[in-house]
Amino acid sequence: MTFTKKYGKILLPLITPYTENEEVDYHRYAELIEYLIENDLCDSLIVTGTTGEASLLTFEERVGLMRTAVEASAGRKPVIAGTGCASTKETIELTREAEALGIDLVMVVCPYYNKPTQEGIYQHYKNLAESTDIQILLYNIPIFVGVNIEAQTVKELAKIDRIIGIKDEAGINPTQVTDYFLAVKDVNPDFVVFNGDDIMLLPTIVQGAMGLVSGGAHIFGHEIRAIFEAFDKGENEKAKELFTPIYRFCKSTGQNGRILPNSILRPAIELVTGIKLGPARGPLAPATKEEMEVTAGILKEIGKL
């Protein structure tokens, strides 16, 4: 079975709901999952990705969210676990927890804060693959981790059976998707390359990206699916027309220099879904009234509110 046949083209990194005192709200998490499945807004669910604020969660909270997602989805949508941590040791331990829950695929961010060399990155993923029996999707997001997974490193990692693909934060280097394809084509032609940046959806589809890891799919899942369908049919003008509102919305979640969009994305999802998610966990500052006026205005203008 091919990757997209099993996991689809729209992989949605779930927002993590919190109570007023910043405790993880597992009940709301299950409610959100039910909403997403009922409305068919994605093909697969990702637990504790960047949109899920993985770096702000404890080990136990991440395992609890994985367990909740597996139970709430009940086999209706595949669950992918984000298990990347700053250390190789903890990454292996968290990946084993995902494996024990019956999850088949983990998305593993490049180790953050430490800025490892390319050899360190290679050894990190190699050790993980040798220490578990689960399939691994590399996750490259240099804007947060501080280093880039270079194409030559991906080429070497693609030789390892359990490492099946990469999600790239394409907004940092829009042409790197092509670099990855060129690097792996003779090593593993089935290697999966996904874009991880909503605003880079159209540019990366043209380069051959097989799908999108999209926090925006909480709101725009149907539009994203329609964009893929339009592109497949050669309806480029339609794809561009559908993409423009998503682009405008996503740009608005980065107001005032925000790099992680969660502070604005959370209340926007609340407005559309009616599900209480709470503010982002500190140190992320909550959205201001002025910021939400801009974002809510866009949502109203494009018919989401």
Side-chain angles (χ1 to χ4, degrees):
M1 181 182 291
T2 64
F3 183 94
T4 52
K5 185 158 285 197
K6 181 173 182 178
Y7 295 102
K9 291 185 175 183
I10 306 171
L11 315 184
L12 188 150
L14 291 154
I15 281 276
T16 300
Y18 301 119
T19 62
E20 290 182 2
N21 60 349
E22 291 196 4
E23 294 298 317
V24 173
D25 192 330
Y26 297 100
H27 174 75
R28 296 288 191 198
Y29 199 61
E31 184 183 354
L32 177 62
I33 289 168
E34 191 63 33
Y35 173 91
L36 295 168
I37 292 174
E38 283 186 0
N39 289 280
D40 195 27
L41 291 167
C42 63
D43 299 317
S44 292
L45 303 163
I46 298 175
V47 184
T48 67
T50 302
T51 304
E53 299 174 16
S55 65
L56 304 178
L57 299 167
T58 67
F59 186 99
E60 292 74 19
E61 286 171 337
R62 292 176 77 172
V63 174
L65 287 164
M66 290 178 204
R67 183 178 297 110
T68 301
V70 169
E71 292 172 355
S73 62
R76 293 174 292 168
K77 297 280 185 186
V79 174
I80 302 166
T83 59
C85 303
S87 75
T88 304
K89 184 177 187 297
E90 189 174 15
T91 300
I92 291 170
E93 291 173 359
L94 189 56
T95 300
R96 285 174 174 166
E97 292 286 348
E99 196 172 1
L101 289 168
I103 293 171
D104 297 325
L105 175 66
V106 288
M107 184 181 75
V108 183
V109 70
C110 182
Y112 43 86
Y113 189 81
N114 302 289
K115 294 188 177 181
T117 63
Q118 293 301 304
E119 177 62 20
I121 293 169
Y122 173 80
Q123 291 297 334
H124 172 78
Y125 286 113
K126 180 174 180 287
N127 289 336
L128 175 61
E130 291 175 348
S131 302
T132 60
D133 294 321
I134 202 166
Q135 289 191 316
I136 299 163
L137 187 69
L138 310 174
Y139 176 12
N140 187 47
I141 184 165
I143 195 170
F144 287 128
V145 306
V147 292
N148 184 55
I149 308 177
E150 301 294 342
Q152 182 60 35
T153 304
V154 173
K155 178 180 180 178
E156 295 306 312
L157 289 169
K159 297 174 183 177
I160 300 171
D161 286 344
R162 290 194 186 92
I163 298 176
I164 64 167
I166 188 167
K167 168 201 168 183
D168 184 45
E169 178 61 30
I172 307 299
N173 183 347
T175 63
Q176 189 159 243
V177 166
T178 297
D179 291 332
Y180 288 151
F181 275 117
L182 292 173
V184 303
K185 67 183 177 66
D186 296 326
V187 175
N188 179 5
D190 296 323
F191 194 80
V192 175
V193 180
F194 263 58
N195 163 37
D197 188 338
D198 291 75
I199 65 170
M200 294 302 297
L201 173 54
L202 283 188
T204 53
I205 287 179
V206 174
Q207 294 178 73
M210 302 163 189
L212 174 69
V213 178
S214 170
H218 285 86
I219 297 171
F220 294 99
H222 294 154
E223 288 82 358
I224 293 169
R225 196 179 304 283
I227 289 170
F228 280 117
E229 291 172 355
F231 182 80
D232 288 343
K233 294 175 182 176
E235 298 172 349
N236 295 340
E237 283 301 317
K238 180 179 179 181
K240 186 172 73 172
E241 183 180 327
L242 289 164
F243 174 67
T244 302
I246 300 173
Y247 181 87
R248 291 182 59 210
F249 169 79
C250 290
K251 292 289 282 188
S252 82
T253 63
Q255 294 175 67
N256 298 314
R258 295 185 186 273
I259 304 300
L260 189 65
N262 287 33
S263 295
I264 299 175
L265 180 62
R266 285 173 163 277
I269 294 171
E270 282 188 358
L271 287 171
V272 174
T273 67
I275 299 171
K276 183 69 175 173
L277 301 173
R281 186 174 265 185
L284 299 176
T288 65
K289 178 184 176 183
E290 292 76 16
E291 286 171 334
M292 287 312 301
E293 284 176 352
V294 172
T295 298
I298 292 171
L299 289 171
K300 288 175 183 174
E301 186 181 330
I302 62 180
K304 288 294 179 179
L305 294 177

